[in-house]
Amino acid sequence: ESVNRMAGDLQELLELERESEKQKTDLITNIAHDLRTPLTSIIGYLELLSGKSYDMLNDSQRRKYLKIAYSKSRRLEQLIGDLFDFTKLSYGKITMKIEYVDLVKLLEQLLEEAYPAFREKGLKYEFRTNVTNHEIMGDSVLIARLFDNLIGNAIKYEPEGGSVTVMLALRETEAVLSVTNPGSDIPPEELPLVFDRFHKLDKSRSKNRDGWGLGLYIVKTIVCSHGENISVTSRDGKTEFTFTMPLVN
């Protein structure tokens, strides 16, 4: 019986090893593909702007190509940032710096910084809170990254002309925060998977489906690293992410 049990355990370990190697191979393949796509566009448009074709372009075309190259460069920067954050957070290679963080000030600043992205897509945003300022205990850099991902996710899936709502309220020993955007519902069978690493939502929710599916995984990891929880609901054309942060005692 012991020998049979050992043989079964060994077979299970071998299967897990093969699955792990397959996941690593798939990850490397996806990374190479997703990095090459914007990089190819950047190189192509810069070649047009720096080669013999430059004199054949008018000012409007030059501005358009520069804008595209810049946009693809920022997208490449975001992909690399997601990859670094995923690596650090997943393998414990990041040291949290716990300090006082003014949530109201931080959220107002992040929304102002995201204004060009809202404007480009024809979106509005609203920040609702019942406090003028309030401090929590946390890592300000990680919390800013958390909101960047949630706001970016809302912009990505929000239809043109819509509005994204960020809310902050106090509840006993916690600050309750939410990011809400209208749009098509996330299917019920996908809701439990949205925070899984490398999970991408159904392409019918957005024309822009690039990325590695790490944004919401990073969000949940940051929330959990502060000892709190995050949840998501999606119904009646509205998707809402809600989580808590510890208040200063």
Side-chain angles (χ1 to χ4, degrees):
E1 289 179 1
S2 297
V3 170
N4 288 336
R5 186 162 55 249
M6 288 173 61
D9 291 344
L10 180 59
Q11 182 63 32
E12 185 177 348
L13 287 172
L14 289 173
E15 291 176 358
L16 289 173
E17 179 75 14
R18 282 194 290 268
E19 180 62 26
S20 177
E21 287 299 319
K22 182 179 181 301
Q23 289 180 354
K24 289 179 183 177
T25 302
D26 291 344
L27 174 59
I28 293 171
T29 302
N30 290 335
I31 288 174
H33 175 269
D34 289 340
L35 290 179
R36 185 189 297 118
T37 301
L39 186 59
T40 300
S41 294
I42 294 168
I43 293 172
Y45 283 108
L46 290 181
E47 283 180 344
L48 287 172
L49 291 167
S50 61
K52 295 180 180 179
S53 301
Y54 180 82
D55 294 332
M56 300 173 61
L57 303 174
N58 57 43
D59 289 341
S60 177
Q61 289 173 317
R62 291 168 188 160
R63 286 195 297 269
K64 177 182 178 181
Y65 293 163
L66 277 173
K67 183 178 180 181
I68 294 173
Y70 175 73
S71 175
K72 295 295 182 180
S73 298
R74 293 303 302 269
R75 181 57 188 154
L76 188 60
E77 179 185 41
Q78 182 182 351
L79 287 171
I80 294 172
D82 282 347
L83 185 60
F84 274 115
D85 286 345
F86 163 70
T87 303
K88 290 178 181 179
L89 291 169
S90 295
Y91 299 100
K93 294 183 178 180
I94 191 168
T95 302
M96 292 179 63
K97 182 182 178 183
I98 303 299
E99 57 188 351
Y100 296 113
V101 181
D102 188 329
L103 270 182
V104 176
K105 185 177 179 180
L106 177 63
L107 285 171
E108 288 176 342
Q109 178 183 337
L110 291 174
L111 286 168
E112 286 179 5
E113 292 174 356
Y115 175 71
F118 282 105
R119 183 181 60 184
E120 183 179 357
K121 199 171 177 182
L123 301 176
K124 297 179 181 178
Y125 69 82
E126 181 180 8
F127 178 37
R128 299 180 185 173
T129 181
N130 56 0
V131 293
T132 55
N133 60 74
H134 206 89
E135 291 182 329
I136 64 166
M137 295 298 297
D139 186 306
S140 59
V141 175
L142 289 180
I143 293 173
R145 179 62 162 157
L146 180 162
F147 278 107
D148 277 341
N149 283 9
L150 281 179
I151 293 171
N153 188 74
I155 293 173
K156 180 178 180 180
Y157 290 107
E158 173 70 7
E160 185 174 350
S163 179
V164 176
T165 303
V166 178
M167 295 186 64
L168 164 63
L170 304 184
R171 183 179 66 190
E172 298 179 354
T173 61
E174 296 176 321
V176 183
L177 301 110
S178 66
V179 177
T180 308
N181 66 289
S184 57
D185 294 347
I186 301 174
E189 64 273 13
E190 282 203 66
L191 278 177
L193 307 174
V194 296
F195 296 111
D196 290 355
R197 57 184 179 179
F198 309 124
H199 178 73
K200 296 184 180 183
L201 294 175
D202 180 63
K203 63 182 178 181
S204 64
R205 297 192 72 238
S206 173
K207 295 179 181 179
N208 180 12
R209 199 174 178 244
D210 57 352
W212 293 325
L214 292 176
L216 293 178
Y217 169 79
I218 291 171
V219 165
K220 183 175 182 178
T221 303
I222 292 174
V223 172
C224 291
S225 69
H226 286 80
E228 302 294 327
N229 296 303
I230 185 169
S231 61
V232 57
T233 59
S234 186
R235 57 178 176 269
D236 301 326
K238 183 171 69 174
T239 298
E240 181 175 82
F241 291 89
T242 305
F243 61 99
T244 54
M245 280 285 155
L247 295 178
V248 174
N249 190 336

